[in-house]
């Protein structure tokens, strides 16, 4: 179970990218997409594309490709993005503002209903259409509005305190952008975003590429 | 080769998280870390921890654990983070500002030397100690300073134009935060960050957890 989850992580991470591309194709009036086209877009081998999409239960038609609409539905169903989950965001600094301004979340089934901050200068202001509330009222707000997801964009030193308030309010999941590991009850899902994770992948690829270049020189 | 890369992606993504934890432990004066402790911190099975760390060439001592200092060195060597790569960032909006303000990059071998923007209101200003320059001068700056990495934080509609200028200037890699697939020459590495990727993982975990809860109820 645990092993299976680990192996599927890259597939799950990639599904929103497929979804974005397929939605654009659908808007452009296209109904069929061939595997080689998706492979070029994703910069992956065709076999990886087929395995990724098979995870959603859809198989393409050999020599033809995939039905765009069917694939969109299958990915949204797999990710449970057909229903909307309400979220609150804590920490209305630059990262928090960037997330509040991101327009792609609604199609991911995520609705950030409001923001919280501890700074008197920010409380009461509006960021991308969302009112910034006093973080002291966080747990009560989550409880009263049955909010499912808490998004943490505060400095690492304050993150655990915010997580505790989110758990007290009753969130099911925390999306943690602070660079710290949170202690939460087992039933609360924590997804930690480590910005350096992508940088690690870039770094390894870049140095592999450089090594290959040197091989060519020999 | 391609298959191997895909399977190792989660490991590479996780290495910075280990590095962060190990660096904290080293600062606290600890010299040995046991696998179960890392497993709790990473919220992963011990077997996954051992496999992840084996990728860096280090094996723990049974019944004792890993040497903290040795592990830090091995991870930094694997990620090529012992040397510093210079980067420029384009798009000094909220996301760009968040990245410019992130203090963890220096220990990842990344130095963002300056920022660029197209907005006259931002050009000439300073964001987290970095001057914001006119994006019209981007390619020349990259060429003159032999910048290795370009970071794109502009809206999707402008991202390809920025990428073209980065390629013209001679970057080796592009870290792309715009929600769009870039066309670049094969020798330029592109690492695309899809913010919804983490949300997809959170969503799948959250609904698996909910399904498990329902099973308990039956």
């Amino acid at each position: 179970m645990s092993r299976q989850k680990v192996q599927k992580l890259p597939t799950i991470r990639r599904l929103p990218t497929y979804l974005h591309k397929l939605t654009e194709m659908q808007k452009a009036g296209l109904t069929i997409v061939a595997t080689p086209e998706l492979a070029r877009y994703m910069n992956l081998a065709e076999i990886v594309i087929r395995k990724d999409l098979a995870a959603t239960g859809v198989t393409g038609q050999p020599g033809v490709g995939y039905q765009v609409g069917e694939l969109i539905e299958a990915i949204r169903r797999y990710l449970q993005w057909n229903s909307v989950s309400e979220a609150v965001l804590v920490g209305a600094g630059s990262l928090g503002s960037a997330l509040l301004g991101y327009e792609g979340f609604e199609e991911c089934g995520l609705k950030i209903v409001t923001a919280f901050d501890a700074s008197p200068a920010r409380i009461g202001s509006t960021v991308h259409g969302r009112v910034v509330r006093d973080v002291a009222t966080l747990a009560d707000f989550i409880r009263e509005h049955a909010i499912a997801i808490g998004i943490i964009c505060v400095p690492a030193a304050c993150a655990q305190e915010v997580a505790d308030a989110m758990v007290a309010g009753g969130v099911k999941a925390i999306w943690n952008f602070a660079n710290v590991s949170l202690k939460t009850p087992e039933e609360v899902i924590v997804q930690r975003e480590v910005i350096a994770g992508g940088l690690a992948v870039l770094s390894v690829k870049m140095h592999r590429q450089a090594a290959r270049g040197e091989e060519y020189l020999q």
Side-chain angles (χ1 to χ4, degrees), chain A residues 46-75:
Chain A
E46 290 183 31
I47 179 72
V48 179
I49 305 293
R50 274 189 284 267
K51 280 187 183 173
D52 277 356
L53 298 180
T56 70
V58 171
T59 45
Q61 206 182 327
V64 179
Y66 295 87
Q67 301 284 338
V68 172
E70 187 191 3
L71 208 43
I72 288 175
E73 273 316 296
I75 293 172

Side-chain angles (χ1 to χ4, degrees), chain A residues 143-166:
Chain A
R143 199 176 298 114
E144 279 162 29
H145 296 82
I147 300 294
I149 299 172
I151 305 173
I152 297 184
C153 300
V154 300
C158 327
Q160 184 62 53
E161 199 181 339
V162 170
D164 290 345
M166 286 176 171

Side-chain angles (χ1 to χ4, degrees), chain A residues 40-214:
Chain A
R40 272 193 305 276
Y41 180 79
M42 299 295 292
N43 198 19
L44 292 169
E46 290 183 31
I47 179 72
V48 179
I49 305 293
R50 274 189 284 267
K51 280 187 183 173
D52 277 356
L53 298 180
T56 70
V58 171
T59 45
Q61 206 182 327
V64 179
Y66 295 87
Q67 301 284 338
V68 172
E70 187 191 3
L71 208 43
I72 288 175
E73 273 316 296
I75 293 172
R76 293 176 62 85
R77 198 165 49 235
Y78 181 85
L79 297 176
Q80 307 266 352
W81 284 357
N82 282 316
S83 58
V84 171
S85 294
E86 289 194 325
V88 294
L89 180 147
V90 182
S94 49
L95 177 61
S97 298
L99 292 178
L100 288 167
Y102 183 69
E103 287 170 5
F105 285 144
E106 291 265 346
E107 74 179 29
C108 306
L110 185 78
K111 189 178 176 187
I112 306 178
V113 295
T114 194
F116 292 86
D117 205 289
S119 157
R122 288 186 187 142
I123 295 168
S125 71
T126 301
V127 178
H128 292 290
R130 258 70 55 104
V131 172
V132 180
R133 295 161 199 270
D134 187 340
V135 73
T137 65
L138 176 61
D140 285 344
F141 186 95
I142 289 169
R143 199 176 298 114
E144 279 162 29
H145 296 82
I147 300 294
I149 299 172
I151 305 173
I152 297 184
C153 300
V154 300
C158 327
Q160 184 62 53
E161 199 181 339
V162 170
D164 290 345
M166 286 176 171
V167 169
V171 295
K172 290 178 186 145
I174 293 175
W175 198 9
N176 176 28
F177 288 83
N179 195 15
V180 66
S181 176
L182 300 172
K183 288 179 186 62
T184 55
E186 214 177 311
E187 67 272 17
V188 175
I189 299 295
V190 178
Q191 171 68 16
R192 179 172 166 188
E193 292 299 319
V194 179
I195 182 66
L199 185 59
V201 175
L202 178 141
S203 186
V204 169
K205 282 184 188 168
M206 192 168 80
H207 289 92
R208 270 188 197 159
Q209 179 79 302
R212 212 172 300 149
E214 280 163 27

